[in-house]
Amino acid sequence: MKNLYRPIESVIEDIKSETPNITTYRFRPKEPISFEAGQFVELTVPGVGEAPFTPSSNPNITDTMEITIMAVGTVTEALTKMKVGDTVGIRGPYGNGYNLTDFEGKEILIVGGGVGLAPLRSLILALFDDVDKYKKISIRYGARTPEDIIYKDLLPEWAQVKNTEVLQTIDQPHPKWTGTVGVITVLLDDLPLLTTVDVEGLPFSPETAVACVCGPPIMLKFVNIALLEKGFKPENIYHSMERNMSCGLGKCGHCMMGEFYICKDGPVMTAAQIAEFDDPF
Amino acid sequence: MARGFYVNMGDDHPSALGVAPSGFREKSDTPFQARGLARMKEVFIGSENLLKLIGRWAKDHRVYVPVTFDIMNNEETPDYDLVKDALPETIQLHGAAPAHSAKTFVFYPREVVANYPSSDAEANVEAPSTVVVGPRGCDVRGLAKFDKVYWSTKHFTEEHDDPFIIEKRENTYIVSIDCTAAKETCFCTAVGGKPFAEEGFDLNLSPLGTGCIVTVGSERGDGLLAGSDDLLREVTQEHKSERDKNRASVTEAVDRQNAQFAVEQPYDKRDLASSEDAWAYVTQNCVGCGACNRVCPTCTCFLLVDQRAKGGYERSRNWDTCLSIGYARTGGGGNSRPALAQRLENRLRCKFEYSRDRYGLVTCTGCGRCIDACMGRIDMREAIKHVITEKAKV
C-alpha cells in the first residue's frame, strides 16, 4: 500500500524576500504535485517537522510550487536558514479548494490580511487564467505597515488585469503611505452594491457575489460580520480556516473543530458550514 | 470432526455495530459492516485444552494473553503479555478487562511511518501475525473507530487508507472473552454495549466453570481451530445455560452500578454543550496528563515527530493527547482551545457527539479505563451527569 506519510523530495530553486519576516520560496518537487487553488500541502523541513501551507503559485503549474511563508514557528524559522539548492519535503495536496465553476459569471471579492494574501494568490492567478469567465475581480488587501505588504511588485500588475481592481489599506498612518488607513474592514465600508444608489464602478450583487477571505482569525471574524451585513450569502463567503493540520489525512485529530476535520472539510469553508459554532475563527 | 459440533446461531445474527472482524474486508460502500460468517458456530473446550490450544497458536503466531502482574499494589488487574516458550503461569481469562485496550495491537504507542529524504512510495509495515486473547466487548467495539478513521469509508477515500493500521488489523486475530465480573468503573451497558462481544471477533471465549464456549466469528477464526479437533467437544445445553446466566449476571451488575449515574439524555442523543462553569467544575482535578487518552480504546489521535536517523531522517507516529495545550496550537501561536476545561470538554464531546455526527458511532465504549487511569480521580460518569444536570438548569 502507498505510504501516506512520505514527503516528496523537493529542491529549493529560488528564495525571494517579501518583508523582514515573510519569504517566498520556489520548490521543484521530484514528482509533480498538482493542486487546486485553496488546497494545502505539508512542507517538511528535514529533521525538524512539518507544517501546513497553501501554495501561492498558479495551480495550473505543476512542476514547481511557490509558497509564501511567514517565520513564526519551529518549522518556518528553520526554513529561513535554508538556501537555494537545499532539499525539503512536500506531501499533498489535501483538503478542499475553491470550486471555481461556482464562481463563473459572478463578482468575486478577495479579502486578504497580512500574509493571508499568500494563499489567495494561487486563487487570483487561477482566476486570471480564465478572467473572462468572471464579472469582476476585486482584491482588497490590508497590511499593518507599508513594510509588511507582500507582493509589492505584483499588486500594481494585478490592478492592470481586465475587470480587476486592487484596493489597499494599512492599519496605522505612516509617513510613506498616502493611501487608505484603517483595518481591512474600511475597504468594505464603501463596497459598491447593486442595491446602493449612485454607485461608482462595477457593483456587487450581494445575492450572488462570492467572497474569499484569508487572514488572521480576528480579521476573518470581523470581515464575516461585515459581509453578512452587506447582504452576502453565508454559502458564498469562503474562509480559509486556520487550524493545526498535522497529518492532512483526517486522522491525527489536531485540526478537529467539532465533527469537522479542517484538513478534510476545509481548509476553505463557507460561513454557512461553520455557522453552528459560536466562534469558529 | 469439530465442524459437526457447531451450533447455528441463525442467519440473522445482529451486526448493527458495523465492526469488521479482523482480516475481513468487503469491497463495498460499507466495508466495515460485519459480514462475518453466515452463521456463528460454537464449540466447547475444556480449561486444560484451551491452554494447549493457545500453546499451539504460539507456534505460528505472536500470541498475547492477559496475565496478572503484582506490581507495587495488591490490585491484580491483568494486562497483556507475550507467550514465549511456555504459557505464563498467571494467565487470567476470567474477570474484567485487561488494563490496556485492544487498540495497542493495531495502533502502536510509537511507530516509524516514513524515512526520508529517499524512501519507497510503498509503506514498509511490520505486522507479524498476532493472536490477541483477551479483548472484551468494549475493546472490540472500540476497534470500530479505528476502522472508520484509518480505513476507507464513504468519507475517507481509499487514497487515504492507512497501511500501518490496516496491515496490523488484517494480521491480528481477535479472540475476545466474555467478562465474568465487572470493575467498579465498568459502564458498558450505559453506552449501548454489553459485557461480551457479539461481533467483530475472530473467536470469542465464554468462560464457564470447566472450560469455555468458543464462538467462531470469522473464516480465519475458524482457521485457528483447524487441526485441533482433538481438543474440542460439543456444546451442550448446560454449557449454554451457564454462559447465558453469566452474561445476564454481569450485565445486571453493570446496570446496577450505572443507576447512580443515570441521566435523562439517551447516550446516543447527547448534547453536552453546557456552561463554561460546568466544564470548569469537572476539570478542576484534571492535570492534562493524557492518561485517559492512552488507555481509551477509541482515542485514535497521533502526533508526527521528525528526527535524525540512520541514513537521513525518520518520521514517527506517536500516541497524542488532546488535553495538552499544544495539541490545537498553530504555528503562529493561535489556539482554539487554550483552557484545559475546553480541552476536556472537547475530549468528552468527541466521544459522544463529534464521533457520532462524523462516523455514526458513539465512541465511549464504557470500559471505564479513563476512570481507572485518572490520577485526579475524575469519573467521566459523574462529569457527564454534572454537565447535563447543569445544562438543564439553564
Side-chain angles (χ1 to χ4, degrees):
Chain A
M1 288 176 76
K2 201 182 75 175
N3 189 354
L4 308 170
Y5 302 96
R6 177 187 79 115
I8 292 172
E9 277 182 85
S10 306
V11 175
I12 302 177
E13 213 175 58
D14 187 49
I15 300 176
K16 179 174 175 271
S17 174
E18 301 282 352
T19 77
N21 68 343
I22 301 175
T23 310
T24 299
Y25 298 85
R26 187 169 72 239
F27 304 104
R28 185 173 289 274
K30 280 200 168 170
E31 301 160 28
I33 299 174
S34 57
F35 65 95
E36 290 168 19
Q39 284 190 301
F40 71 98
V41 297
E42 292 286 346
L43 179 73
T44 302
V45 173
V48 178
E50 287 185 308
F53 300 97
T54 295
S56 312
S57 50
N58 191 327
N60 297 322
I61 298 170
T62 57
D63 55 344
T64 60
M65 178 184 287
E66 288 178 18
I67 310 180
T68 300
I69 293 169
M70 179 156 73
V72 288
T74 321
V75 172
T76 50
E77 291 285 357
L79 191 63
T80 60
K81 300 188 174 64
M82 301 189 81
K83 302 180 296 292
V84 169
D86 286 351
T87 298
V88 299
I90 296 177
R91 60 185 178 92
Y94 301 118
N96 293 325
Y98 301 97
N99 187 352
L100 297 189
T101 6
D102 279 356
F103 291 12
E104 289 175 16
K106 297 175 181 169
E107 303 95 27
I108 299 159
L109 175 65
I110 293 172
V111 187
V115 75
L117 185 61
L120 293 169
R121 182 178 158 218
S122 71
L123 168 68
I124 291 166
L125 296 176
L127 294 173
F128 284 171
D129 277 359
D130 288 306
V131 74
D132 290 325
K133 288 186 178 166
Y134 315 103
K135 263 194 193 163
K136 167 179 180 154
I137 300 169
S138 177
I139 300 165
R140 295 174 186 232
Y141 177 47
R144 277 189 307 143
T145 72
E147 277 83 41
D148 293 311
I149 295 171
I150 62 170
Y151 308 141
K152 291 184 189 73
D153 48 338
L154 296 176
L155 290 164
E157 286 178 26
W158 293 352
Q160 301 304 314
V161 177
K162 192 177 161 190
N163 293 340
T164 302
E165 62 178 10
V166 177
L167 281 73
Q168 286 182 234
T169 181
I170 59 164
D171 288 0
Q172 302 284 336
H174 191 280
K176 286 185 198 161
W177 187 256
T178 52
T180 310
V181 174
V183 293
I184 184 76
T185 44
V186 301
L187 295 181
L188 303 176
D189 289 345
D190 59 347
L191 201 68
L193 300 172
L194 262 184
T195 44
T196 321
V197 189
D198 294 337
V199 292
E200 285 178 32
L202 258 176
F204 285 87
S205 328
E207 289 284 319
T208 55
V210 170
C212 302
V213 192
C214 185
I218 188 79
M219 183 200 113
L220 300 186
K221 182 174 174 175
F222 287 102
V223 169
N224 192 51
I225 293 169
L227 291 174
L228 290 172
E229 278 175 2
K230 298 277 174 197
F232 276 65
K233 297 281 160 229
E235 56 272 27
N236 292 333
I237 305 174
Y238 293 82
H239 292 288
S240 291
M241 301 299 292
E242 181 169 298
R243 284 294 187 279
N244 179 9
M245 288 92 86
S246 169
C247 74
L249 306 160
K251 302 188 192 321
C252 80
H254 288 251
C255 68
M256 277 192 88
M257 180 173 90
E259 75 270 28
F260 294 112
Y261 286 88
I262 301 304
C263 72
K264 277 284 182 188
D265 305 303
V268 173
M269 291 180 86
T270 66
Q273 283 176 289
I274 54 179
E276 66 179 87
F277 297 94
D278 290 340
D279 188 6
F281 309 112
Chain B
M1 176 62 195
R3 203 159 291 272
F5 299 144
Y6 291 145
V7 172
N8 181 4
M9 285 174 67
D11 291 343
D12 55 350
H13 194 70
S15 64
L17 197 63
V19 189
S22 41
F24 242 79
R25 185 139 188 252
E26 295 263 338
K27 277 285 167 203
S28 72
D29 278 353
T30 52
F32 312 106
Q33 288 299 312
R35 297 287 188 265
L37 297 172
R39 50 188 65 178
M40 292 250 184
K41 305 164 187 175
E42 294 179 343
V43 65
F44 177 82
I45 189 163
S47 301
E48 288 294 313
N49 282 351
L50 176 61
L51 298 181
K52 276 187 202 161
L53 181 64
I54 294 174
R56 287 181 188 177
W57 294 339
K59 289 186 183 122
D60 300 321
H61 313 273
R62 285 194 314 178
V63 178
Y64 288 88
V65 294
V67 300
T68 50
F69 296 96
D70 192 1
I71 307 168
M72 307 234 286
N73 57 25
N74 295 318
E75 290 174 41
E76 292 200 337
T77 303
D79 204 357
Y80 293 102
D81 200 7
L82 181 65
V83 176
K84 299 196 181 86
D85 300 329
L87 280 181
E89 280 178 21
T90 55
I91 182 169
Q92 185 179 316
L93 305 179
H94 288 262
H100 277 85
S101 82
K103 83 169 176 191
T104 314
F105 298 99
V106 295
F107 180 51
Y108 294 171
R110 179 183 188 275
E111 178 171 25
V112 174
V113 292
N115 286 284
Y116 64 91
S118 53
S119 59
D120 291 338
E122 292 293 301
N124 178 19
V125 185
E126 270 192 44
S129 185
T130 303
V131 178
V132 183
V133 183
R136 301 310 206 263
C138 51
D139 295 327
V140 175
R141 293 179 87 212
L143 291 171
K145 170 84 182 303
F146 283 84
D147 293 348
K148 293 279 189 189
V149 172
Y150 290 98
W151 250 341
S152 56
T153 63
K154 278 180 180 166
H155 183 79
F156 295 105
T157 57
E158 198 166 300
E159 184 194 355
H160 287 177
D161 273 358
D162 187 295
F164 300 93
I165 300 287
I166 293 174
E167 288 199 26
K168 284 201 246 342
R169 197 77 170 91
E170 284 179 336
N171 291 337
T172 303
Y173 294 76
I174 299 296
V175 180
S176 51
I177 306 181
D178 292 1
C179 288
T180 57
K183 292 177 296 168
E184 281 174 18
T185 52
C186 286
F187 60 101
C188 59
T189 62
V191 289
K194 290 177 181 169
F196 50 91
E198 289 179 301
E199 58 173 345
F201 52 81
D202 295 297
L203 293 177
N204 181 68
L205 307 177
S206 303
L208 310 175
T210 55
C212 282
I213 293 177
V214 184
T215 306
V216 180
S218 73
E219 294 284 355
R220 45 184 239 148
D222 204 12
L224 285 177
L225 300 181
S228 291
D229 294 351
D230 56 316
L231 305 178
L232 308 175
R233 279 167 44 203
E234 192 172 349
V235 169
T236 64
Q237 203 51 52
E238 285 72 37
H239 293 142
K240 286 200 274 184
S241 306
E242 191 182 343
R243 174 191 63 193
D244 295 348
K245 207 174 132 198
N246 164 53
R247 287 181 167 183
S249 108
V250 181
T251 303
E252 197 196 323
V254 178
D255 283 345
R256 206 161 41 233
Q257 58 195 34
N258 286 342
Q260 58 177 306
F261 304 104
V263 286
E264 298 240 329
Q265 275 185 6
Y267 78 95
D268 56 349
K269 304 259 187 307
R270 295 235 160 120
D271 174 3
L272 303 176
S274 197
S275 69
E276 243 176 69
D277 286 349
W279 283 105
Y281 178 81
V282 303
T283 311
Q284 58 189 341
N285 285 341
C286 179
V287 295
C289 70
C292 50
N293 297 109
R294 284 165 175 80
V295 295
C296 179
T298 62
C299 271
T300 51
C301 292
F302 62 81
L303 179 72
L304 293 171
V305 176
D306 287 26
Q307 63 189 67
R308 277 187 184 280
K310 211 176 157 191
Y313 306 94
E314 71 179 20
R315 173 166 296 157
S316 62
R317 169 160 78 188
N318 302 266
W319 285 0
D320 203 0
T321 161
C322 54
L323 295 174
S324 78
I325 191 160
Y327 183 82
R329 190 164 52 205
T330 55
N335 197 334
S336 51
R337 290 185 291 276
L340 185 54
Q342 293 173 310
R343 301 195 290 275
L344 186 60
E345 172 182 356
N346 179 70
R347 174 171 145 74
L348 295 185
R349 294 183 70 188
C350 175
K351 298 296 164 199
F352 286 94
E353 296 175 65
Y354 308 153
S355 292
R356 173 196 66 204
D357 296 345
R358 184 84 190 180
Y359 304 111
L361 279 180
V362 168
T363 54
C364 175
T365 69
C367 72
R369 289 187 178 93
C370 57
I371 309 170
D372 297 331
C374 185
M375 67 172 93
R377 297 188 182 271
I378 297 170
D379 188 326
M380 80 108 83
R381 299 169 294 188
E382 285 170 5
I384 298 287
K385 186 174 179 179
H386 180 78
V387 295
I388 291 177
T389 313
E390 289 301 303
K391 187 182 174 66
K393 286 184 194 165
V394 180

